[in-house]
Amino acid sequence: MWRWLLLLLLLLPGPLAQATDSVAQPIAVPSVTGQSGLVAMPDARLAPDGTWRTGFSFQRPYHAFWSSISFLPWLEAGFRYTRIQYVPVIFSSEPDPTAYGDYKDKAFDAKARIIAEREWFPQLAIGAQDVGGGTGLFSAWYGVASKRIGEFDFTLGYGTGRIDGAFGGVRWQPRAYPRWSATAELDAFDYANDRFADQSRIAGRKKTTQLGLEYRGELWGAKLFGGHGEAGVNAWVSIPLEAKEFVPKLDEPAPYTRINPRPSEAQWAEDAAHEARLRRALRAQGYASIATRYENGRLEARLANGRINSMPRAVGRAARTMLSFAPLETRELKVTYLEGELAFAEYTFVDARLLQRYFNGLATRKALAQTVAIDYAEPSDAKPGDAAMEADREQAIAAAAEPLPEALVVADKVPQLFDYRASLAGGQFRIRPSISAFFNDPSGALKLDLSALATWDRRLAPMRYFASELKAALWENVSDVTQRSNSLLPHVRTDIAQYRRGGDVKLMKALFHQYAHPSARVYARGSAGIYEEMYSGAGGQVLYLGADGGWAVDLAVDALRQREFEGWFGHRDYSTVTAIASLHYRLSQGLTATLRVGRFLARDEGVRAEVRRRFKSGFEVGAWYTVTNGNDITSPGTPESPYYDKGIFMRMSLDAMLTRDTRAAAHLSLAPWTRDVGQMVASPGDLARLMERNVFSRHDLDGLRRFGDMEDDYRLPELGARPWPDFVAEDASALGRASRDADWVDGLVVGTGLVLGAAALDKPVERWAARHQDERAVARGVKWGNALPFAAIGLSGVFAFDDSRPRLQDAGIAALEAGALALVGSEILKRSLGRARPDAGLGAGEFEAGSSDDAFHSFPSRHAAVMWAAVTPYAKEFDLPWLYGVAALTNAARAGSREHWVSDTVAGSLLGYWLGSLAWEVRREGRLRKNSAKLLLSPNEVRLAWDF
């Protein structure tokens, strides 16, 4: 089996082992699935944090379009869309039964690094292919290790499912040609058992050697390979999302740097033209909603900028200009930054001379930061018609004829590519293209909608706006979709093809907005009109921002009517009210977790969980999963296992890709488009999204990143990096010592007594569950009880990243560690003991030790073990005994579903409680061995530390 590997090593030049510091670090090259790997097999490597790769691989009969991203330094996720050659799909109900072409399948993959490579220890990773509710056509689970020795990177792993058993290989990266590498592997895919193996002509394909030659450029790469008697190719582009920008800002207007003759304080007070010239200079640079004031050596400005993407940069450019026109006696500057007309942040510079020195390159940003106060803004006291507002207007008119300094750079005149903008009838008119793509309809695997969007927005009064959008279809084939939905829910989204057939020109939006800022960190919006293509209505939203920027909550309520297909002013019979409350929880490394609870479009009620990461480039990548009481039986959903809405999305900031600053962004999402469950109306103006970019800027380092249009980041004093749950390497010994300290005899005696006592309830509860299992209340209780362990582990993962709350973070890490051990321990016990499940009909005393049949995997309950393991650290750390009552709901659900006997759930609870207690003790008392290494994770680095 390994003859090919030995032959390769004999043929390769140079010694096998070189000093690891004499060659480049191990590299991560995508396999044919898009996961980092060899040729077809995965390895333990991950691409650098924030790397987004998209490519195409081909080896007959599989053609795969794939996209992968290193979502976190230790987590790589990907999507692939695979065509299987020679396997046509024919839909007899379609006008053209062959329009779909060959069979196509979508799959999601993920890989997590468990232990990073050390001097002598390999890097370990676990992964899964084709997971997350797809067809499972290419499903596989695996564990893999990789170790770098000199110029060679060795890989050895084991998989189940499509990866059948052991696999491995080696990559050679020659020192003399660092962009080139050669790879060899044992391909362990079980091709013979692939679906359609006979049709696709691979039924006789065996495990064999594959060899590849790779080249990696800065932004692209390619691999040629061969095996199984077939040649193949894999090519990709690679984008570093953690780069601040991909292209330099060559067309960005320079900041105003000319030093003007400045008036004295008396001259400023006597002649209003000085202040008016300042406002005109700001307006010429793209600032709006400008108001200024000077009093007692302090110059203030309130302003907004709709083009510059970075709030600190916009504030910095305004401050430069203010210093150029300010009275000579100015000691202090204050800039209030507005988002539109909503005041967001106040920057107070208490040392104007130091600020000027910083702009002149004579002072560091670190020194400047000590003299700057950044606070959330209070609402404006000015009212329409105030004398101050009228005076401001008159002064601006009086200064209009005054010449501006020649060096002042006015508004950017560089045209936008494929984007036309102009002023029209007192508002802003814009034309831009739009493209939508839809996959996997029987009438064709790919559907496109290419349109032109024309928007016109106008300010009507303070805080009041009108926004409209007209869409003209240039070319589309979505209207060709003929498959009818079998959803039993109201068709809130599944009639999309009929909307496309309704007309080529449609009014997509016509909305009146009223905004309000009642107090600091509280914002509100009211909207009425046409929301989107399918709905019109009226509603509002209220947003509250946490003082530390770590969280925000909002509530959106909308009364909606479904629009007619033609896209103008008619309506259909369906109407509803949606109400969604959202909690946005900000974590380290740009992560934000969002939990939405409420009533959705199809009148279904439930929760939607989202997680996304914002990279330094401004790109955002995330995913969502929705669970509601709407029973969507649309395939692959069934009445017994309904479908839940889910998807992934990306927001691509054009600021990183253009030669000038912009707030423009492109949006991409991958989700089923003919679903009704868990759907939300397109927000007419989401306040949380509107303010989010500024919140990130406000709390990013010292809040002054890009402030002076220069690269001057510095390391802030670290308040302490947080320990990460690398329990396999660091906490295992501590857990072992804690377990040795436990009183095993008393624990076993008490635990055995509780399990035997609970066994008396096994048959009575099973009989009760059999009688009532079809009742709605029981079914709902089972559903939510079964979901609790997943929610507990998910929340623990969120808390484990929250380095701003050390106790909560420690409890989250302990819950993750205990939950993982409970999962493994319960699985080992249930397979070893082999107790029959209640629904097997064999009785509570039937055992078949070592059975692989799931009907004999009853003792103990895995759900109960994980749930109790997850809640115990929180209950102990924060003295919350009621959490055990919540955990008991999972016990009731497992017994009520007849998946487990009562004694199974009690045994699982005891196992989970014990593991949760041990993990909590390790975290609480710091039982890591003195002088031993601990893994520390901060937002910018991963490092080892020792306690002395």
Side-chain angles (χ1 to χ4, degrees), residues 54 122 188 202-204 248 277 342 442 454 469 476 498 593 602-603 640 656 761 821 831 835 849 852:
T54 299
I202 59 171
R277 275 193 292 270
L342 299 172
E469 181 178 274
E476 61 87 20
Q498 297 184 61
R603 300 173 183 153
E640 296 77 22
L761 299 175
L821 292 173
R831 290 179 179 272
R835 189 185 192 186
S852 60

Side-chain angles (χ1 to χ4, degrees), residues 375-419:
D375 300 300
Y376 285 100
E378 297 289 339
S380 171
D381 295 329
K383 304 293 191 300
D386 278 0
M389 297 288 287
E390 291 300 321
D392 178 75
R393 180 174 177 273
E394 292 175 4
Q395 293 167 6
I397 294 174
E402 294 286 338
L404 288 170
E406 294 179 1
L408 178 63
V409 179
V410 295
D412 186 4
K413 301 297 184 183
V414 180
Q416 300 267 353
L417 185 65
F418 303 128
D419 195 340

